[in-house]
Amino acid sequence: MDRTRFEHFPGGVREAHAVLHSQGEVDVNVYAERERDWRCGPLVYQVLVDRFAPSARLEEKRALYAAPRRLRGWDEEPKKGRYLAEHRVWSHELEFWGGDLASARDRLDALQALGVDVVYLNPIHDAFTNHKYDARDYAEVAPELGTRADVAALAADLHRRGMRLVLDGVFNHVGWRCPWFARAQAGEAPWRDWFVLGPEYPDGYRCWANARNLPELRLEAPDLRAALWGDPQSVVQRTLREGVDGWRLDVAYDLGPEFLAELTAAAHRAKPDALTVGEVYNVPTRWLGPLDAVMNMSARELILRLVRGQLAPALCARHLERLVGDAPFEGLLRSWLVLDNHDTARLATQLPEAWQRALAQTLQFTLPGAPQLYYGVEAGLEGGVEPASRGPMRWERAVAGNPEFDRVRALSALRRARRGLRVGDYLPLDAEACLAFARQTERAQDTAIVVVNPGAREVRETLWLRDSWLMHTSTLRCALSGAQGRVIAGVLELAVPAHSARVLFPERPAGPGYSATKRVP
């Protein structure tokens, strides 16, 4: 496609592409480009290393959990503790379960069998707490988790499997035990300019979210940004060159778009296809550009409200249409679709009904983006907000026969088998009582029609499919239920049972006989 032909479109090439698609003329190269970009549409799996798999070397590292830290048994669940003023943290932040990088690496077979493409680790740099969002030394791995050599070995093992590794970057603040902060308080240069100090703050320094343990970094200091991401030997660039594939950026909204754009450019200098994905609870639009991707918490909110009955399907459809239409589409494909993580209640607790989880996860795997699974969701782990959401993995429940595991595995396999769900465009469909949309590429066989009924009664929808290549009298079959529908002059009439979803694909004509699709893409 000659992209200069479409400069008159207000939305540029992206709008032109959508218009041409509806007219049957598409840029076939765009889908090939998306498929070549590992960041577009992978299945992401989040690991809290300490809680993921029991360590084989627990005894030899037991001293690392000396008081005030505490080592818990793998059969115990985390509970909220008491505030330890002398350490400026809660006692549950100092409780450990002993998992490490080596034990996580031993579980890669299970993740690969689940269809995982990207492993994302919560922070692993040296820190005082179990969650590691209070860095002491960005350059070193927490000794209870392993070494930089262990990170390189994990990355190499993932790459051999065709998988990628993303680390958690906490560059808005450090822990109050960080040597940088001690030198800043002593008035030493350059560190004194790396923090915001002054008597106007209760403890003499600005801290993140008023947490005394987390002094904020003053990113306006150029030499600080050089140390974090700008210099070739910085945390971000060195780690990428050592084998890591990207960074998930904690509280990215606090870093701001200017510094995020600078960080992303630095990451791409070290590794051109590196991923930067930001924790952004805002509408994604303006953050895609400064970042390669966001954690799409806006889409998450719409999904949860829909399945809880707090948002009508037709209104949800309009919101999703705006969300997709306003944002750079490739940025959305790279963005992570999150339903739960370490900062939220677990999915089984947020959505206690199995049908709610089924609908939410069906949307997570079929909307544009990269589904992000929080470890243990496939086992049906429960837990309220932190620390209850950070319990140890229950591997004995992550097996066939567990409905939660079977559902995740089936959705993962479906998405892997269907190109349209990974890299296809998004086309909203009008419906009365359901949320409906299509995912399309240049090929008719890639088309997916997704219809979700969160209501308590069966409904019958008449959908006009907006797809020129879906032939008259062709059959669509649901990959989840086996239900069928027939396209009549572009219209599909479909019964959708209560609390259920249909994900339909065109059936290929059987045998060597006549086919109306023989001369269409």
Side-chain angles (χ1 to χ4, degrees):
M1 180 173 73
D2 178 5
R3 300 188 175 214
T4 62
R5 292 165 53 200
F6 307 110
E7 293 177 352
H8 66 280
F9 282 91
V13 171
R14 181 168 57 88
E15 181 185 324
H17 175 69
V19 171
L20 289 175
H21 197 302
S22 68
Q23 297 172 350
E25 181 185 350
V26 296
D27 177 6
V28 298
N29 293 324
V30 73
Y31 306 107
E33 290 171 7
R34 292 170 186 171
E35 287 186 287
R36 284 192 292 269
D37 187 348
W38 70 268
R39 301 167 298 179
C40 284
L43 177 56
V44 181
Y45 191 95
Q46 178 182 354
V47 171
L48 185 60
V49 177
D50 177 65
R51 315 290 166 88
F52 188 56
S55 173
R57 58 184 192 95
L58 193 59
E59 288 306 316
E60 66 183 79
K61 63 176 187 170
R62 189 172 290 275
L64 297 172
Y65 305 105
R69 292 178 166 190
R70 182 175 180 179
L71 185 62
R72 292 286 192 180
W74 204 262
D75 59 342
E76 296 183 81
E77 293 293 330
K79 297 178 181 178
K80 188 168 184 177
R82 58 188 180 87
Y83 187 69
L84 305 175
E86 67 274 29
H87 299 296
R88 306 187 186 185
V89 297
W90 290 80
S91 59
H92 61 257
E93 296 179 81
L94 300 180
E95 294 182 341
F96 294 78
W97 271 253
D100 52 32
L101 290 165
S103 61
R105 189 177 167 201
D106 287 340
R107 299 289 180 163
L108 294 187
D109 285 347
L111 298 189
Q112 189 171 22
L114 198 61
V116 170
D117 299 298
V118 176
V119 174
Y120 149 51
L121 306 182
N122 282 96
I124 58 172
H125 47 236
D126 186 30
F128 184 52
T129 64
N130 52 38
H131 52 72
K132 310 300 179 194
Y133 285 95
D134 57 327
R136 281 191 299 209
D137 188 346
Y138 289 116
E140 295 300 327
V141 174
E144 69 271 17
L145 299 182
T147 65
R148 282 168 56 177
D150 288 322
V151 178
L154 175 60
D157 201 349
L158 286 167
H159 293 163
R160 282 191 292 271
R161 298 166 182 264
M163 301 162 73
R164 306 280 180 155
L165 178 63
V166 172
L167 299 186
D168 207 329
V170 191
F171 303 131
N172 177 72
H173 50 265
V174 295
W176 75 288
R177 295 168 180 262
C178 177
W180 290 358
F181 185 55
R183 290 176 173 179
Q185 289 184 308
E188 296 181 38
W191 300 280
R192 66 190 176 201
D193 293 327
W194 291 10
F195 298 86
V196 182
L197 309 175
E200 64 271 30
Y201 301 102
D203 290 290
Y205 57 91
R206 188 174 72 195
C207 51
W208 182 77
N210 299 318
R212 299 177 62 222
N213 182 43
L214 303 175
E216 278 201 327
L217 290 167
R218 183 178 167 272
L219 295 175
E220 286 73 15
D223 45 357
L224 170 59
R225 300 201 308 278
L228 292 174
W229 62 72
D231 189 87
Q233 295 305 312
S234 63
V235 180
V236 167
Q237 294 198 48
R238 172 187 54 77
T239 307
L240 290 169
R241 284 195 302 275
E242 290 177 354
V244 171
D245 299 289
W247 286 93
R248 178 267 189 189
L249 301 171
D250 184 56
V251 295
Y253 48 85
D254 272 321
L255 274 67
E258 180 180 347
F259 292 151
L260 290 172
E262 186 180 288
L263 188 159
T264 297
H268 292 172
R269 288 198 299 273
K271 180 174 287 190
D273 66 345
L275 172 69
T276 61
V277 55
E279 181 190 23
V280 174
Y281 279 73
N282 315 44
V283 172
T285 308
R286 294 187 178 182
W287 299 91
L288 295 172
L291 289 160
D292 294 318
V294 299
M295 297 173 65
N296 197 343
M297 306 304 283
S298 196
R300 170 183 180 267
E301 188 67 22
L302 295 177
I303 292 170
L304 294 181
R305 287 175 181 265
L306 175 73
V307 301
R308 286 172 177 155
Q310 300 166 334
L311 181 61
L315 182 56
C316 184
R318 291 199 295 275
H319 290 330
L320 286 170
E321 182 178 4
R322 301 298 187 274
L323 189 156
V324 174
D326 289 348
F329 193 71
E330 273 66 26
L332 282 183
L333 288 180
R334 298 183 187 115
S335 293
W336 294 358
L337 280 165
V338 182
L339 293 179
D340 63 344
N341 67 10
H342 61 290
D343 286 328
T344 75
R346 284 194 170 272
L347 189 66
T349 299
Q350 293 183 68
L351 302 177
E353 300 291 340
W355 68 264
Q356 293 177 313
R357 299 192 293 278
L359 294 193
Q361 289 180 317
T362 298
L363 289 170
Q364 183 185 33
F365 277 79
T366 57
L367 284 167
Q372 180 194 323
L373 302 179
Y374 185 39
Y375 79 94
V377 70
E378 75 276 28
L381 296 194
E382 298 178 337
V385 295
E386 186 265 336
S389 60
R390 304 179 184 181
M393 176 64 177
R394 302 301 180 196
W395 287 99
E396 71 279 5
R397 292 167 57 181
V399 294
N402 180 341
E404 306 298 319
F405 180 84
D406 291 342
R407 182 193 312 122
V408 171
R409 184 173 60 175
L411 287 169
S412 172
L414 174 64
R415 198 166 180 281
R416 183 170 291 272
R418 296 292 183 168
R419 177 174 177 254
L421 294 179
R422 299 192 310 276
V423 299
D425 298 322
Y426 178 86
L427 191 68
L429 302 177
D430 294 327
E432 289 288 339
C434 294
L435 167 66
F437 59 89
R439 299 292 304 280
Q440 300 174 324
T441 72
E442 82 284 14
R443 301 196 304 231
Q445 287 301 131
D446 288 340
T447 296
I449 306 296
V450 181
V451 188
V452 174
N453 176 17
R457 293 186 296 177
E458 179 177 281
V459 297
R460 197 162 194 88
E461 290 283 8
T462 301
L463 305 174
W464 185 60
L465 298 180
R466 302 180 64 192
D467 191 323
S468 298
W469 299 148
L470 287 180
M471 290 296 181
H472 174 60
T473 74
S474 62
T475 299
L476 303 182
R477 183 181 293 273
C478 177
L480 304 179
S481 67
Q484 294 183 42
R486 178 158 290 195
V487 179
I488 304 298
V491 174
L492 173 68
E493 190 173 339
L494 186 70
V496 189
H499 300 157
S500 71
R502 295 284 186 256
V503 183
L504 302 114
F505 299 92
E507 281 205 314
R508 293 183 182 275
Y514 168 78
S515 171
T517 63
K518 61 182 174 291
R519 294 191 181 97
V520 297

